[in-house]
Amino acid sequence: MRQLGSWVARVGVGFVRACVVAVVSMLIPAVWAAAVALGIRWGAGNPWSWAAPLVLVCGGTFALSRPVCRTVRFLVARWTATVIPAGYRQAGPVTRMSTGYWWNGFSYERTRRDALLDQKWRVRWTDPANWRDLRFTGIVPITAGVVAALPPAGVAAAVLGLGRPGFAPRLVGALGLVVAVACAPYAWRLIEPVAVRFLRPSPTMALADRVEELTAQRADATVAQAAEIRRIERDLHDGAQARLVGLGLSLATAEKLMETDPERAKALMRDARAGATASLAELRELTRGISPPVLAERGLVDAVRALALDIPLDVAVSTEGSADGGLTLDPPIESAVYFGVAELLTNAVRHAHASRARVRLARDEAGLIVEAEVEDDGRGGADERPGGGLAGLRRRLAVFDGTLEITSPPGGPTRVRMALPCESS
């Protein structure tokens, strides 16, 4: 009985998906058919009988090609978890020059609105992805569209045939129903290989996108490095440096008072010792922000466990991927994972108001991917805002070709997964 229910569910879901694929695939051919019908209705004697349908075909195809392709990508990703990169050319920034004109990468315009409008159409017309989308809209109707149309066509034949008297119509209706039921779970699946084959960016486009991505990552890394250097300089100048200057003055004063006022000299020496201890603590705290000593001395797993002890949460740390639970990684990867976990646990305390959290460190069987997953029992609703902590974490991981997946429905729980390529032992 359970198998019958599962089969019925597959048929129902497959039928709905086949109908959706058929509608999306046949949308542009429907525009063509409407243009042909319009030309036939106007007749050959009308001078507009060919011009208006031609305009309708060209304009409708160009206007609908990109929405159709985006819909297909969304459906394939939603149904099969296969992500097809869009590969569209992105517009650059619009900058106002000292002359008052706006530069959009192509021409100067008097207003920002004109610059954006001109840039939009120039990018759209010169994007090589337009030809890829147009090619796809011509291929998908005769491949995935025809196959996906079998279940709804079978149902239509069944409705028309079974409702008419006579053996032949009822036989056709019965055959149509059998075809619809048999094809429904599979008819929509052809859209995935067709979309992967014809909607995937070309190697040249993928290379151009990769160059742009690496350029942006380099800019982010440069900005982050400059900010970190300024932070270190500020902390040294305001903290340890000031204390060391005071320490030197105290020692110089104590040296002068050693013979005339030994008690005061001893007091200054005690103050100098306390200042040296405070300076050492500040320097250790500063180096912890750069590279925690426990990370270099004991490895990633023990460093995360030590971090969990300092967090005001009930944090459970688990490891997978090796016999002893340890993960030996390159120092940059270890540092990225460590500070990523620290960022997520800090967010759990500040924003999620969680009481418990779980950290899982693992690697795949081949040892080529290291994963860090942080889950808390907070209120959820975490979103990735531009300039926020999660956006910064994604940029830091992107430097290593890492990924960040966030699942945080309202009410919780929040689950964040980091994955970075590596070579671990």
Side-chain angles (χ1 to χ4, degrees), residues 289-360:
I290 302 173
S291 179
V294 66
L295 187 61
E297 296 171 359
R298 302 175 58 183
L300 176 62
V301 176
D302 288 338
V304 172
R305 286 172 176 164
L307 174 66
L309 296 176
D310 297 332
I311 298 294
L313 287 177
D314 182 10
V315 182
V317 180
S318 61
T319 60
E320 299 175 12
S322 60
D324 59 353
L327 294 173
T328 304
L329 309 171
D330 292 337
I333 301 294
E334 284 188 339
S335 180
V337 174
Y338 175 84
F339 285 110
V341 172
E343 173 75 20
L344 296 176
L345 290 178
T346 302
N347 288 345
V349 176
R350 290 182 179 177
H351 307 296
H353 302 292
S355 60
R356 293 189 305 275
R358 182 177 64 88
V359 179
R360 186 182 69 89

Side-chain angles (χ1 to χ4, degrees), residues 30 181 209 320 357 375:
V181 172
D209 292 341
E320 299 175 12
E375 180 180 359

Side-chain angles (χ1 to χ4, degrees), residues 21 52 69 97 177 184 198 212 299 302 349 377 399:
V21 172
C69 294
M97 311 302 292
L177 183 61
F198 294 102
E212 292 181 0
D302 288 338
V349 176
D377 62 348
V399 175

Side-chain angles (χ1 to χ4, degrees), residues 47-387:
W48 294 98
S49 60
W50 63 270
L54 180 62
V55 172
L56 180 60
V57 167
C58 296
T61 301
F62 185 77
L64 293 176
S65 60
R66 185 164 292 189
V68 167
C69 294
R70 285 176 172 171
T71 303
V72 169
R73 290 190 191 91
F74 171 77
L75 295 177
V76 171
R78 181 72 178 271
W79 293 344
T80 67
T82 300
V83 179
I84 304 175
Y88 295 122
R89 180 173 294 175
Q90 301 296 322
V94 175
T95 307
R96 187 172 187 179
M97 311 302 292
S98 59
T99 59
Y101 285 85
W102 293 83
W103 171 253
N104 60 11
F106 301 95
S107 64
Y108 293 97
E109 302 294 337
R110 290 184 177 275
T111 64
R112 186 175 186 272
R113 177 180 176 276
D114 293 340
L116 289 174
L117 186 62
D118 178 77
Q119 182 191 60
K120 173 184 175 182
W121 286 108
R122 285 179 182 267
V123 170
R124 182 72 182 270
W125 282 105
T126 58
D127 193 350
N130 291 330
W131 301 108
R132 180 198 61 203
D133 291 351
L134 292 174
R135 180 188 62 179
F136 177 78
T137 56
I139 292 175
V140 70
I142 60 177
T143 53
V146 172
V147 176
L150 289 177
V155 171
V159 172
L160 296 177
L162 296 178
R164 298 176 60 185
F167 175 74
R170 291 183 177 179
L171 178 61
V172 173
L175 290 177
L177 183 61
V178 171
V179 170
V181 172
C183 295
Y186 313 102
W188 63 272
R189 295 184 180 275
L190 187 59
I191 190 66
E192 180 189 5
V194 173
V196 171
R197 172 62 181 82
F198 294 102
L199 276 186
R200 197 171 44 187
S202 65
T204 302
M205 297 169 62
L207 180 60
D209 292 341
R210 182 58 175 165
V211 170
E212 292 181 0
E213 180 182 355
L214 291 176
T215 302
Q217 292 177 3
R218 183 184 63 181
D220 289 339
T222 302
V223 172
Q225 182 182 20
E228 186 67 15
I229 291 175
R230 288 194 299 269
R231 183 189 68 84
I232 295 173
E233 291 177 348
R234 184 178 61 252
D235 291 346
L236 286 174
H237 182 272
D238 298 340
Q241 179 178 341
R243 289 185 179 276
L244 290 176
V245 170
L247 175 62
L249 293 176
S250 298
L251 291 176
T253 305
E255 183 181 4
K256 294 179 179 180
L257 296 176
M258 187 65 68
E259 296 180 359
T260 59
D261 194 349
E263 294 299 327
R264 187 180 176 187
K266 291 180 181 179
L268 289 174
M269 295 290 289
R270 287 193 295 269
D271 294 340
R273 183 175 59 184
T277 303
S279 299
L280 181 60
E282 288 188 2
L283 289 174
R284 286 178 176 174
E285 189 67 25
L286 179 62
T287 57
R288 182 183 299 274
I290 302 173
S291 179
V294 66
L295 187 61
E297 296 171 359
R298 302 175 58 183
L300 176 62
V301 176
D302 288 338
V304 172
R305 286 172 176 164
L307 174 66
L309 296 176
D310 297 332
I311 298 294
L313 287 177
D314 182 10
V315 182
V317 180
S318 61
T319 60
E320 299 175 12
S322 60
D324 59 353
L327 294 173
T328 304
L329 309 171
D330 292 337
I333 301 294
E334 284 188 339
S335 180
V337 174
Y338 175 84
F339 285 110
V341 172
E343 173 75 20
L344 296 176
L345 290 178
T346 302
N347 288 345
V349 176
R350 290 182 179 177
H351 307 296
H353 302 292
S355 60
R356 293 189 305 275
R358 182 177 64 88
V359 179
R360 186 182 69 89
L361 302 173
R363 67 182 182 191
D364 63 356
E365 297 179 356
L368 300 178
I369 300 292
V370 59
E371 299 177 0
E373 183 177 285
V374 179
E375 180 180 359
D376 62 61
D377 62 348
R379 59 186 181 184
D383 57 344
E384 185 177 342
R385 296 185 301 273

